[in-house]
C-alpha cells in the first residue's frame, strides 16, 4: 500500500472514536496496524459474522452525502447482527475509492463513528484500494452459544410480528433519486422518510431483547416483508397466514402516498431494517405493546403448517403480484 494510503488510514480510520468506543472494556486484543486483528471470544459465546457491500450507482446514488453513507453502511450490517440477537463486537471496513478527498473521508468517517459510538462497536481493520466507490463492512457480534434467533426455527402456531413501521425508506426513494437528503427536504413528512432511508436504526437492543423473550425465528426486513417472510417460511419449512391491513404504516408514509400506494410500499418496500420475528403465542401474550418509546411491536399473522404457502386472513394465496392492485 502507498504511503498516502497509510496516512489516510491513520487519520480517518485509526481514530479512537472508531477503534475504542467508550463505555465498555475493549473486546479487541489487537486492532488496526498489524497484518491481522486479534479477537478474544468469551467462553460460552459464539461469534456472529455478517458482510454487506454497497456499490455506488447500485445501492446508493452518485454524489450521496458521505456522512449518511458511513452511517448507513454500518447500520445495515448492525441490522444483520440485530436479527440474530447478537451484541455488537467489532467490524472491518473494505473501502474502494475513486480518489482521495479529505473532506469526503472526514465526513464518511464521522458518519461511521456516530453509529459506532452509539452501539459500542470497534473498527479493527480493513483494506483500502482505488476504484469505483464501494464500501464493504464485515461486522461481528457475540451471542450466547446456541441462542441465536435462526430463520429455521419458526414453528406452526407461532405469531408473526414486526417492529416499528414498514415502507418509510422505500417511500423516500423518489426523493433519494432526485438527490434530496433530510437536511434539504422542505416537506416534513418527506424529511422523515428520508431520515429512515439514510439513517436506519439497527434494532440491536430490540434483537437481544426479543432473543431473551423467546422469539424463535427472526430476520431484518431489507427487501420488503412479503419477500423476506418467505425466507423464514422456506428455512423453517412452514407457511403463514397474515393480514396485510395490520402492517404498521407511519403517519409520514400515509400523508405522502395514497392509502393503496402506502400499503403496497409497506408490504414490498425494503430498506427499513425493522425486524420480523416469530414467537410462541403464550410468550407473545407476555410482550408489551412497545419494546421502548421508539419501537412498537405489531402482530400481523401466524405461522401455519402448510409448507411454503403465504395466505391472507381470508385464506387467499398472496403473491407480490396479487398485491399490486392495492
Ligand atoms: P496488508 O498490506 O497487510 O493487507 P494494509 O497495508 O492493507 O495491510 O493495512 C494496514 C493496516 O491498516 C491493517 O491493520 C489493516 O487492517 C488496516 N486498514 C487498511 N485499510 C483500512 C480501512 N479502510 N479501515 C480500517 N483499517 C484499515
Ligand atoms: Mg491490505
Amino acid at each position: 500500500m502507498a504511503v498516502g494510503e497509510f496516512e489516510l488510514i491513520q487519520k480517518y480510520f485509526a481514530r479512537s472514536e472508531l477503534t475504542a468506543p467508550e463505555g465498555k472494556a475493549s473486546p479487541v486484543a489487537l486492532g488496526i496496524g498489524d497484518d491481522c486483528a486479534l479477537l478474544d471470544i468469551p467462553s460460552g459465546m459464539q461469534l456472529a459474522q455478517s458482510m454487506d457491500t454497497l456499490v455506488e450507482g447500485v445501492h446508493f446514488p452518485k454524489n450521496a452525502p458521505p456522512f449518511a453513507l458511513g452511517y448507513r453502511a454500518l447500520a445495515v450490517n448492525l441490522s444483520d447482527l440485530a436479527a440474530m440477537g447478537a451484541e455488537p463486537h467489532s467490524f472491518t471496513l473494505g473501502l474502494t475509492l475513486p480518489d482521495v478527498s479529505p473532506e469526503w473521508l472526514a465526513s464518511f468517517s464521522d458518519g461511521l463513528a456516530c453509529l459506532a459510538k452509539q452501539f459500542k462497536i470497534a473498527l479493527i481493520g480493513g483494506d483500502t484500494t482505488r476504484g469505483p466507490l464501494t464500501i464493504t463492512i464485515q461486522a461481528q457480534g457475540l451471542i450466547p452459544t446456541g441462542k441465536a434467533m435462526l430463520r429455521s426455527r419458526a414453528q406452526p402456531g407461532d405469531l408473526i410480528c414486526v417492529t416499528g413501521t414498514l415502507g418509510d425508506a422505500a417511500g423516500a426513494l423518489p426523493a433519494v433519486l432526485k438527490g434530496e437528503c433530510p437536511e434539504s427536504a422542505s416537506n416534513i413528512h418527506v424529511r422523515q422518510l428520508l431520515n429512515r432511508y439514510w439513517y436506519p436504526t439497527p434494532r440491536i437492543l430490540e434483537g437481544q431483547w426479543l432473543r431473551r423473550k423467546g422469539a424463535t425465528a427472526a430476520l431484518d426486513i431489507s427487501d420488503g416483508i412479503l419477500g423476506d417472510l418467505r425466507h423464514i417460511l422456506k428455512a423453517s419449512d412452514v407457511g403463514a397466514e397474515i393480514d396485510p391491513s395490520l402492517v404498521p404504516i407511519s403517519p409520514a408514509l400515509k400523508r405522502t402516498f395514497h392509502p393503496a400506494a402506502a400499503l403496497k410500499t409497506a408490504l414490498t418496500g425494503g430498506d427499513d431494517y425493522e425486524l420480523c420475528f416469530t414467537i410462541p403465542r403464550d410468550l407473545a401474550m407476555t410482550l408489551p405493546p412497545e419494546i421502548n418509546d421508539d419501537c412498537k411491536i405489531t402482530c400481523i399473522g401466524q405461522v401455519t403448517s402448510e409448507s411454503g404457502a403465504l395466505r391472507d386472513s381470508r385464506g387467499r394465496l398472496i403473491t407480490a403480484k396479487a398485491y399490486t392492485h392495492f
Side-chain angles (χ1 to χ4, degrees):
M1 141 178 115
V3 174
E5 285 167 22
F6 182 72
E7 283 160 359
L8 178 159
I9 294 163
Q10 282 305 312
K11 184 156 180 201
Y12 298 109
F13 300 115
R15 36 186 294 217
S16 61
E17 295 99 318
L18 280 169
T19 57
E22 299 151 45
K24 138 165 143 180
S26 174
V28 179
L30 183 67
I32 292 177
D34 213 315
D35 291 310
C36 297
L38 297 173
L39 313 177
D40 290 329
I41 301 172
S43 67
M45 303 294 258
Q46 288 179 312
L47 192 70
Q49 277 199 326
S50 166
M51 178 186 280
D52 265 301
T53 294
L54 303 180
V55 180
E56 183 178 59
V58 180
H59 303 102
F60 59 88
K62 281 196 187 309
N63 302 318
F67 182 94
L69 262 188
Y71 190 103
R72 188 163 181 272
L74 184 54
V76 302
N77 277 275
L78 285 170
S79 174
D80 283 324
L81 295 182
M84 305 280 279
E87 183 192 348
H89 180 278
S90 52
F91 71 105
T92 50
L93 169 67
L95 197 54
T96 303
L97 298 167
D99 48 39
V100 176
S101 148
E103 295 77 28
W104 192 95
L105 280 165
S107 190
F108 176 79
S109 160
D110 284 347
L112 272 183
C114 176
L115 204 62
K117 263 164 64 180
Q118 203 178 321
F119 289 101
K120 300 185 179 30
I121 186 166
L123 178 60
I124 57 167
D127 200 23
T128 309
T129 54
R130 205 168 282 262
L133 180 59
T134 304
I135 303 154
T136 298
I137 288 182
Q138 171 162 294
Q140 279 100 224
L142 294 173
I143 311 181
T145 301
K147 301 285 190 202
M149 295 182 289
L150 305 184
R151 294 179 180 192
S152 56
R153 295 236 168 111
Q155 294 287 331
D158 284 357
L159 296 190
I160 300 168
C161 307
V162 296
T163 60
T165 57
L166 304 186
D168 294 329
L173 271 183
V176 169
L177 294 175
K178 276 190 244 156
E180 283 190 58
C181 45
E183 297 75 14
S184 67
S186 51
N187 178 301
I188 184 180
H189 304 301
V190 174
R191 193 181 319 146
Q192 282 168 8
L193 300 183
L194 282 161
N195 264 320
R196 293 281 321 259
Y197 178 88
W198 281 117
Y199 303 106
T201 303
R203 295 297 190 188
I204 285 288
L205 298 176
E206 294 83 358
Q208 292 173 69
W209 186 90
L210 288 167
R211 168 170 61 68
R212 287 192 294 263
K213 290 286 178 192
T216 41
L219 52 62
D220 61 325
I221 305 168
S222 55
D223 295 322
I225 179 72
L226 288 189
D228 283 332
L229 179 56
R230 287 180 200 279
H231 297 311
I232 291 183
L233 304 188
K234 188 152 191 271
S236 297
D237 196 20
V238 292
E241 183 192 289
I242 62 166
D243 181 347
S245 70
L246 295 177
V247 166
I249 300 176
S250 73
L253 193 67
K254 282 186 187 153
R255 300 222 169 97
T256 311
F257 291 88
H258 290 298
L263 179 59
K264 187 182 172 219
T265 305
L267 289 171
T268 59
D271 293 328
D272 290 306
Y273 298 99
E274 293 292 352
L275 300 180
C276 169
F277 62 95
T278 60
I279 184 164
R281 187 178 290 269
D282 55 332
L283 294 178
M285 295 308 153
T286 69
L287 297 183
E290 303 177 328
I291 302 179
N292 52 49
D293 285 350
D294 161 56
C295 186
K296 60 178 182 159
I297 299 172
T298 308
C299 174
I300 60 164
Q302 61 177 329
V303 178
T304 65
S305 56
E306 190 189 4
S307 179
L310 179 56
R311 295 185 183 275
D312 69 12
S313 33
R314 285 161 60 188
R316 295 175 302 189
L317 275 176
I318 298 177
T319 60
K321 220 172 142 213
Y323 277 86
T324 53
H325 63 271
F326 271 96

